[in-house]
Amino acid sequence: MAEPLYDLRYVLEELKAQPGQYHETNLEIDPHAELSGVYRYIGAGGTVKRPTQEGPTMVFNNIKGFPNQRVMTGIMASRKRTGKILNHNYKRLGHLLNDAVNHPVKPIMVDKSEAPAQEVVHLASDEGFDIRKLIAAPTNTEYDAGPYITMGLIYGSSPDKGMSDVTIHRMVLEDKDTIGVYIMPGGRHLGHFLSQYQAINKPMPITINIGLDPAVYIGATFEPPATPLGYNELWIAGALRNQPVHLVEGVAVNEVGLARSEFIIEGEILPHETIREDINTNTGCAMPEFPGYDGPANPALNVIKIKAVTHRKDKPIMQTTLGPSEEHVIMAGIPTEASILNLAEKAIPGKVLNVYNPPAGGGKFMSILQIKKDTPADEGIQRQAALLAFSAFKELKTVILVDDDVDIFDMNDVMWTINTRFQAHKDIMVLEGLRNHPLDPSEHPDYSPEYIRFKGMSSKLVLDGTVPFDMKAVFERAAFKEVADWEKYLD
């Protein structure tokens, strides 16, 4: 019997069999602000404005204005659920991804007959073509610059097709055939390829792939040095699912798409053209981002001219996420954990046991490192580990160091460490004048002109909550009797 092909629908069928992990509704919902507003209460988590909570994956079957589509959100809005999807302990997902980086499984090309993502084709040259009527792209809030593609995986290549990669960027629908895309300065491999096209004054062909399984999205959010230029993150997805990603040639551009997507948008990034992000709304806002604030509208987004939209025939699923949700934390945080583990194991093997990027930092700003000190010579190695973490991910702002008896996934345990194994006058390290992420509103010259000369600069913080090696005996936790069959008392 043939092996089942792995895609979003395969994962959703698995989730339906797990109590509390999946819910769908047939009530009509408006994709403009209402859909995100509802999921905020049900399961968004992360840094979303309270009240919010951890909840199920949601599929909305009745989308106002889009009778033949569904919208899904929150499939990764739970670390435990993500662990179940990847068949791995949720506390060890950083280790799993690190292993996947080192054992890649490369994609394979398939024929169009094997690409459900191309069952229905709309060309931009067709009469009445309007992407705003073809995909149910939601807005997170009533103040968004427009309908956003938040889970669109861009596939692009260098002009000579020698290198390719996938990245996720926020994209706003600006016109019937125009998308504005925010490519952050130093914009990962896609930005490098785009600069090559700009140098020869040619548009860059791309595909935007929507409706994908979590292995693809999580793998795609790696950054250097774990995945250097020339490393395509789809190789990681193949390793995570033990099955190569299927690619298919585009119908209107010279680029490939992910054959088992729900939607593929084909287009070209224009070489020297930009557009104001909120040109249609003038709100001054883009959309809520991972720190929990509305991102300011960008005055000069890159422009994507759409050439075609293809999708599945059977009620295609528009996949979306709330910007500050736990789902964003998972996609950004776990690959960062893996990158830190990768670099630390090379530099100080066996000393960093695990890493966790919690929701409080949006998956990007904060890492908790679990450190093992074996001998007096290991004293100080914990602070070397913090420096390695900053090197592994430049957008990291805060590192908390704890001992190996602390559960890094329990913030009460982490804060207990800071309250009982930490003295502010000796256990704080502040590193000034470093680059971070421009979406942190505190990283602005107006906030601290003496230290922050340009937007996106930051002071970085290390809280060393590890016990001095020669004082370990003073800090032993209270020992309770080990009872192997304790669970029988719950029967």
Side-chain angles (χ1 to χ4, degrees), residues 124-125 129-135 137 145-149 170-182 206 208 265-270 273-277 279-280 300-309:
S125 56
F129 177 91
D130 191 334
I131 191 171
R132 297 166 298 186
K133 298 177 181 178
L134 290 174
I135 64 168
Y148 272 90
I149 299 170
R170 80 179 189 224
M171 291 175 274
V172 60
L173 307 187
E174 302 283 30
D175 200 350
K176 65 179 183 178
D177 64 350
T178 305
I179 291 174
V181 56
Y182 177 50
I206 59 160
I208 305 168
I265 301 169
E266 300 184 17
E268 295 176 335
I269 305 179
L270 302 184
E273 189 170 327
T274 61
I275 190 170
R276 180 164 56 88
E277 192 161 12
I279 195 169
N280 293 310
L301 295 181
N302 291 100
V303 174
I304 300 173
K305 276 298 178 182
I306 302 162
K307 300 299 180 181
V309 174

Side-chain angles (χ1 to χ4, degrees), residues 29 38-39 43 60 64 79 148 215 237 263 285 290 301 309 350 353 365 400 404 416 440 449 454 483:
I29 197 157
V38 166
Y39 194 65
F60 297 88
K64 183 178 180 179
R79 190 177 180 109
Y148 272 90
F263 290 87
C285 296
F290 72 91
L301 295 181
V309 174
L353 300 184
F365 286 167
I400 301 177
D404 57 350
W416 168 80
D440 177 352
F454 302 100
V483 181

Side-chain angles (χ1 to χ4, degrees), residues 77-215:
S78 159
R79 190 177 180 109
K80 291 181 180 178
R81 180 162 61 243
T82 303
K84 289 180 180 179
I85 290 169
L86 298 176
N87 298 307
H88 204 78
N89 182 340
Y90 74 94
K91 293 185 177 182
R92 302 282 297 176
L93 290 176
H95 291 272
L96 174 68
L97 263 71
N98 185 26
D99 186 62
V101 169
N102 295 317
H103 299 88
V105 175
K106 296 187 178 183
I108 60 173
M109 295 296 300
V110 299
D111 187 75
K112 294 183 186 298
S113 63
E114 301 175 81
Q118 293 181 339
E119 289 173 340
V120 179
V121 177
H122 306 273
L123 298 176
S125 56
D126 293 343
E127 185 177 352
F129 177 91
D130 191 334
I131 191 171
R132 297 166 298 186
K133 298 177 181 178
L134 290 174
I135 64 168
T139 59
N140 270 208
T141 76
E142 296 171 283
Y143 310 102
D144 286 11
Y148 272 90
I149 299 170
T150 56
M151 297 286 277
L153 190 71
I154 298 181
Y155 193 110
S157 304
S158 57
D160 63 1
K161 298 295 182 183
M163 292 186 290
S164 58
D165 199 14
V166 287
T167 50
I168 299 174
H169 302 265
R170 80 179 189 224
M171 291 175 274
V172 60
L173 307 187
E174 302 283 30
D175 200 350
K176 65 179 183 178
D177 64 350
T178 305
I179 291 174
V181 56
Y182 177 50
I183 303 176
M184 198 170 71
R188 308 185 184 95
H189 300 168
L190 183 78
H192 179 77
F193 300 153
L194 178 59
S195 67
Q196 293 178 319
Y197 277 96
Q198 290 171 332
I200 59 176
N201 198 31
K202 289 186 176 181
M204 175 180 172
I206 59 160
T207 61
I208 305 168
N209 304 271
I210 306 169
L212 304 164
D213 64 87

Side-chain angles (χ1 to χ4, degrees), residues 3-64:
E3 180 184 15
L5 295 175
Y6 205 87
D7 58 16
L8 176 60
R9 297 191 181 205
Y10 176 89
V11 174
L12 289 178
E13 288 302 313
E14 286 190 329
L15 286 182
K16 289 177 183 178
Q18 299 177 21
Q21 299 304 312
Y22 175 90
H23 183 74
E24 61 181 72
T25 177
N26 293 320
L27 293 176
E28 184 183 65
I29 197 157
D30 193 334
H32 178 62
E34 187 177 35
L35 187 149
S36 294
V38 166
Y39 194 65
R40 169 257 184 120
Y41 294 100
I42 291 173
T47 57
V48 170
K49 183 179 179 180
R50 273 47 187 163
T52 188
Q53 63 180 337
E54 181 177 306
T57 304
M58 277 286 288
V59 175
F60 297 88
N61 293 325
N62 188 355
I63 309 300
K64 183 178 180 179

